[in-house]
Protein backbone atom coordinates (compact mmCIF):
# COMPACT_ATOMS: atom_id res chain seq x y z
CA UNK A 1 0.00 0.00 0.00
CA UNK A 2 1.50 3.38 -1.08
CA UNK A 3 1.42 6.43 1.12
CA UNK A 4 1.01 9.52 -1.11
CA UNK A 5 2.19 11.99 1.49
CA UNK A 6 5.43 10.12 2.14
CA UNK A 7 6.30 9.85 -1.57
CA UNK A 8 5.57 13.49 -2.28
CA UNK A 9 7.85 14.64 0.54
CA UNK A 10 10.63 12.37 -0.74
CA UNK A 11 10.40 13.83 -4.28
CA UNK A 12 10.55 17.38 -2.93
CA UNK A 13 13.71 16.58 -0.97
CA UNK A 14 15.33 15.05 -4.06
CA UNK A 15 14.71 18.16 -6.16
CA UNK A 16 16.38 20.61 -3.76
CA UNK A 17 20.01 19.76 -4.75
CA UNK A 18 19.11 20.21 -8.46
CA UNK A 19 17.73 23.66 -7.77
CA UNK A 20 20.83 24.65 -5.84
CA UNK A 21 23.06 23.40 -8.66
CA UNK A 22 21.09 25.32 -11.28
CA UNK A 23 21.36 28.51 -9.23
CA UNK A 24 25.16 28.18 -9.24
CA UNK A 25 25.42 27.87 -13.06
CA UNK A 26 24.94 31.62 -13.87
CA UNK A 27 27.47 32.57 -11.18
CA UNK A 28 30.01 30.08 -12.55
CA UNK A 29 29.52 31.37 -16.11
CA UNK A 30 29.95 34.98 -14.95
CA UNK A 31 33.13 34.10 -13.05
CA UNK A 32 34.42 32.14 -16.06
CA UNK A 33 33.73 35.10 -18.37
CA UNK A 34 35.52 37.54 -16.06
CA UNK A 35 38.58 35.31 -15.94
CA UNK A 36 38.76 35.23 -19.74
CA UNK A 37 38.30 39.00 -19.91
CA UNK A 38 41.17 39.43 -17.47
CA UNK A 39 43.35 37.09 -19.53
CA UNK A 40 42.43 39.00 -22.68
CA UNK A 41 43.52 42.28 -21.07
CA UNK A 42 46.79 40.69 -19.97
CA UNK A 43 47.44 39.42 -23.51
CA UNK A 44 46.71 42.86 -24.99
CA UNK A 45 48.90 44.79 -22.53
CA UNK A 46 51.62 42.15 -22.61
CA UNK A 47 51.81 42.08 -26.41
CA UNK A 48 51.88 45.90 -26.61
CA UNK A 49 54.63 46.04 -24.01
CA UNK A 50 56.62 43.41 -25.91
CA UNK A 51 56.28 45.39 -29.15
CA UNK A 52 57.44 48.55 -27.37
CA UNK A 53 60.51 46.73 -26.03
CA UNK A 54 61.26 45.28 -29.48
CA UNK A 55 61.30 48.68 -31.21
CA UNK A 56 64.91 49.57 -30.30
CA UNK A 57 66.09 45.95 -30.51
CA UNK A 58 68.25 44.92 -33.44
CA UNK A 59 68.59 41.14 -33.59
CA UNK A 60 70.11 39.21 -36.54
CA UNK A 61 67.66 39.21 -39.43
CA UNK A 62 65.72 42.16 -37.99
CA UNK A 63 67.74 44.98 -39.52
CA UNK A 64 68.04 46.45 -43.00
CA UNK A 65 70.05 49.65 -43.60
CA UNK A 66 69.95 50.26 -39.87
CA UNK A 67 66.12 50.06 -39.82
CA UNK A 68 64.11 47.47 -37.89
CA UNK A 69 60.49 46.31 -38.16
CA UNK A 70 57.78 48.66 -36.98
CA UNK A 71 56.30 46.36 -34.33
CA UNK A 72 53.65 48.81 -33.16
CA UNK A 73 52.44 49.22 -36.74
CA UNK A 74 52.10 45.44 -37.06
CA UNK A 75 50.14 45.31 -33.79
CA UNK A 76 47.75 48.07 -34.92
CA UNK A 77 47.10 46.22 -38.20
CA UNK A 78 46.53 42.91 -36.36
CA UNK A 79 44.09 44.64 -33.99
CA UNK A 80 42.21 46.73 -36.55
CA UNK A 81 41.74 44.17 -39.31
CA UNK A 82 38.65 42.67 -37.64
CA UNK A 83 37.38 45.64 -35.69
CA UNK A 84 35.49 48.87 -36.23
CA UNK A 85 36.99 52.13 -37.46
CA UNK A 86 36.67 53.69 -34.00
CA UNK A 87 38.49 50.81 -32.29
CA UNK A 88 41.23 50.89 -34.89
CA UNK A 89 41.68 54.65 -34.56
CA UNK A 90 41.80 54.54 -30.75
CA UNK A 91 44.35 51.70 -30.76
CA UNK A 92 46.54 53.55 -33.26
CA UNK A 93 46.44 56.82 -31.32
CA UNK A 94 47.19 55.16 -27.98
CA UNK A 95 50.13 53.17 -29.35
CA UNK A 96 51.36 56.27 -31.18
CA UNK A 97 51.39 58.21 -27.91
CA UNK A 98 53.28 55.37 -26.24
CA UNK A 99 55.86 55.49 -29.03
CA UNK A 100 56.12 59.27 -28.60
CA UNK A 101 56.89 58.70 -24.93
CA UNK A 102 59.82 56.47 -25.91
CA UNK A 103 61.18 58.65 -28.73
CA UNK A 104 59.99 62.25 -29.16
CA UNK A 105 56.52 63.84 -29.14
CA UNK A 106 57.28 66.13 -32.07
CA UNK A 107 56.55 65.01 -34.73
CA UNK A 108 54.01 62.63 -33.28
CA UNK A 109 53.44 58.98 -34.18
CA UNK A 110 49.84 59.10 -32.96
CA UNK A 111 48.63 60.71 -36.20
CA UNK A 112 50.17 58.13 -38.52
CA UNK A 113 49.21 55.07 -36.45
CA UNK A 114 45.69 56.44 -35.95
CA UNK A 115 45.30 56.74 -39.73
CA UNK A 116 46.66 53.20 -40.11
CA UNK A 117 44.01 51.88 -37.70
CA UNK A 118 41.25 53.65 -39.65
CA UNK A 119 42.44 52.50 -43.09
CA UNK A 120 42.96 48.90 -41.95
CA UNK A 121 39.46 48.75 -40.50
CA UNK A 122 38.00 50.14 -43.72
CA UNK A 123 39.87 47.57 -45.82
CA UNK A 124 38.46 44.73 -43.70
CA UNK A 125 34.99 46.24 -43.64
CA UNK A 126 34.74 46.49 -47.41
CA UNK A 127 36.17 42.95 -47.88
CA UNK A 128 38.75 44.08 -50.42
CA UNK A 129 41.39 41.64 -49.21
CA UNK A 130 41.02 38.22 -47.64
CA UNK A 131 42.46 37.81 -44.16
CA UNK A 132 45.40 35.44 -44.58
CA UNK A 133 49.12 35.82 -43.99
CA UNK A 134 49.87 37.11 -47.49
CA UNK A 135 47.16 39.78 -47.38
CA UNK A 136 48.23 40.85 -43.89
CA UNK A 137 51.82 41.18 -45.11
CA UNK A 138 50.62 43.31 -48.03
CA UNK A 139 48.54 45.51 -45.73
CA UNK A 140 51.50 45.99 -43.37
CA UNK A 141 53.77 46.82 -46.33
CA UNK A 142 51.41 49.52 -47.58
CA UNK A 143 50.74 50.92 -44.11
CA UNK A 144 54.47 51.12 -43.34
CA UNK A 145 54.96 53.30 -46.42
CA UNK A 146 52.03 55.50 -45.32
CA UNK A 147 53.40 55.85 -41.77
CA UNK A 148 56.86 56.96 -42.92
CA UNK A 149 55.35 59.29 -45.51
CA UNK A 150 53.18 61.00 -42.88
CA UNK A 151 56.19 61.30 -40.60
CA UNK A 152 58.26 62.89 -43.39
CA UNK A 153 55.40 65.31 -44.18
CA UNK A 154 55.31 66.39 -40.53
CA UNK A 155 59.07 67.01 -40.55
CA UNK A 156 58.76 68.99 -43.79
CA UNK A 157 55.99 71.16 -42.34
CA UNK A 158 58.19 71.82 -39.34
CA UNK A 159 60.77 73.23 -41.74
CA UNK A 160 63.17 70.35 -41.29
CA UNK A 161 63.74 71.18 -37.63
CA UNK A 162 64.62 68.18 -35.47
CA UNK A 163 65.79 69.91 -32.32
CA UNK A 164 67.24 73.11 -30.93
CA UNK A 165 70.47 72.89 -32.97
CA UNK A 166 69.31 70.62 -35.76
CA UNK A 167 67.94 71.90 -39.05
CA UNK A 168 67.60 69.67 -42.11
CA UNK A 169 66.69 70.50 -45.65
CA UNK A 170 63.35 69.25 -46.95
CA UNK A 171 65.10 67.53 -49.88
CA UNK A 172 67.33 65.59 -47.49
CA UNK A 173 64.31 64.55 -45.43
CA UNK A 174 62.52 63.00 -48.41
CA UNK A 175 65.69 61.34 -49.72
CA UNK A 176 66.30 59.74 -46.34
CA UNK A 177 62.71 58.64 -45.75
CA UNK A 178 62.46 57.02 -49.16
CA UNK A 179 65.06 54.50 -48.01
CA UNK A 180 63.56 54.27 -44.53
CA UNK A 181 60.06 53.63 -45.87
CA UNK A 182 61.21 50.84 -48.19
CA UNK A 183 63.38 49.10 -45.57
CA UNK A 184 60.71 49.41 -42.85
CA UNK A 185 57.97 48.17 -45.18
CA UNK A 186 59.95 45.10 -46.26
CA UNK A 187 60.96 44.08 -42.74
CA UNK A 188 57.58 44.82 -41.18
CA UNK A 189 55.72 42.79 -43.82
CA UNK A 190 58.10 39.84 -43.38
CA UNK A 191 57.70 39.81 -39.58
CA UNK A 192 53.96 40.60 -39.57
CA UNK A 193 52.82 36.93 -39.22
CA UNK A 194 54.89 36.57 -36.03
CA UNK A 195 52.64 39.12 -34.31
CA UNK A 196 49.42 38.56 -36.26
CA UNK A 197 49.08 34.77 -35.99
CA UNK A 198 49.15 34.31 -32.17
CA UNK A 199 47.06 37.42 -31.49
CA UNK A 200 44.48 36.56 -34.13
CA UNK A 201 44.28 32.97 -32.86
CA UNK A 202 43.72 34.20 -29.30
CA UNK A 203 41.08 36.77 -30.25
CA UNK A 204 39.18 34.19 -32.30
CA UNK A 205 39.05 31.93 -29.24
CA UNK A 206 37.84 34.81 -27.09
CA UNK A 207 35.13 35.60 -29.61
CA UNK A 208 33.86 32.01 -29.51
CA UNK A 209 33.85 32.00 -25.71
CA UNK A 210 31.99 35.30 -25.44
CA UNK A 211 29.38 34.19 -27.97
Amino acid sequence: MKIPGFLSNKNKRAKKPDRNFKSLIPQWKLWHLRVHQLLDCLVIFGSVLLCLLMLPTRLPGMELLGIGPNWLLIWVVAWSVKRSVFEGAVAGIVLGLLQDALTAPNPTHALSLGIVGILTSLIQKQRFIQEDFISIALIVFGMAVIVDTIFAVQLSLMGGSCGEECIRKVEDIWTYYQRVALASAILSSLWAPVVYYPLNHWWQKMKLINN
Side-chain angles (χ1 to χ4, degrees), residues 7-8 14 16 29 33 37 52 74 95 112 117-118 122 125 129 132 143-145 147 164 183 190 193 204:
L7 293 176
S8 61
K16 286 183 179 179
K29 287 184 177 180
L33 181 61
Q37 289 175 346
L52 284 171
I74 299 172
L95 266 66
S112 56
I118 293 172
L122 290 174
K125 200 169 183 179
I129 300 177
D132 54 13
M143 295 303 168
V145 174
V147 163
E164 294 180 357
L190 290 176
Q204 282 182 345

Side-chain angles (χ1 to χ4, degrees), residues 180-193:
V180 170
L182 183 59
S184 177
I186 292 173
L187 285 175
S188 299
S189 61
L190 290 176
W191 285 95

Side-chain angles (χ1 to χ4, degrees), residues 10-74:
K10 186 177 181 181
N11 292 333
K12 288 181 181 178
R13 290 177 183 175
K15 290 180 180 180
K16 286 183 179 179
D18 293 337
R19 291 177 181 176
N20 293 333
F21 178 75
K22 289 179 180 179
S23 64
L24 292 175
I25 290 178
Q27 298 178 4
W28 180 82
K29 287 184 177 180
L30 182 60
W31 178 83
H32 193 63
L33 181 61
R34 288 178 178 175
V35 170
H36 281 88
Q37 289 175 346
L38 177 61
L39 289 176
D40 191 31
C41 292
L42 291 177
V43 169
I44 291 173
F45 290 123
S47 59
V48 171
L49 180 60
L50 181 61
C51 289
L52 284 171
L53 295 176
M54 289 295 293
L55 278 179
T57 305
R58 296 292 183 267
L59 298 176
M62 292 186 181
E63 185 178 2
L64 182 62
L65 300 176
I67 306 300
N70 193 336
W71 298 104
L72 292 181
L73 166 68
I74 299 172

Side-chain angles (χ1 to χ4, degrees), residues 33-145:
L33 181 61
R34 288 178 178 175
V35 170
H36 281 88
Q37 289 175 346
L38 177 61
L39 289 176
D40 191 31
C41 292
L42 291 177
V43 169
I44 291 173
F45 290 123
S47 59
V48 171
L49 180 60
L50 181 61
C51 289
L52 284 171
L53 295 176
M54 289 295 293
L55 278 179
T57 305
R58 296 292 183 267
L59 298 176
M62 292 186 181
E63 185 178 2
L64 182 62
L65 300 176
I67 306 300
N70 193 336
W71 298 104
L72 292 181
L73 166 68
I74 299 172
W75 197 97
V76 172
V77 171
W79 169 271
S80 305
V81 75
K82 292 183 179 180
R83 286 176 171 82
S84 65
V85 174
F86 177 77
E87 291 174 322
V90 171
I93 293 172
V94 171
L95 266 66
L97 293 175
L98 291 175
Q99 188 172 0
D100 289 343
L102 290 178
T103 56
N106 196 13
T108 179
H109 297 85
L111 176 62
S112 56
L113 289 180
I115 292 175
V116 165
I118 293 172
L119 293 178
T120 305
S121 300
L122 290 174
I123 290 174
Q124 184 274 335
K125 200 169 183 179
Q126 298 298 330
R127 303 287 183 180
F128 290 136
I129 300 177
Q130 295 181 356
E131 294 166 4
D132 54 13
F133 290 157
I134 296 177
S135 62
I136 292 298
L138 291 175
I139 293 174
V140 171
F141 185 92
M143 295 303 168
V145 174

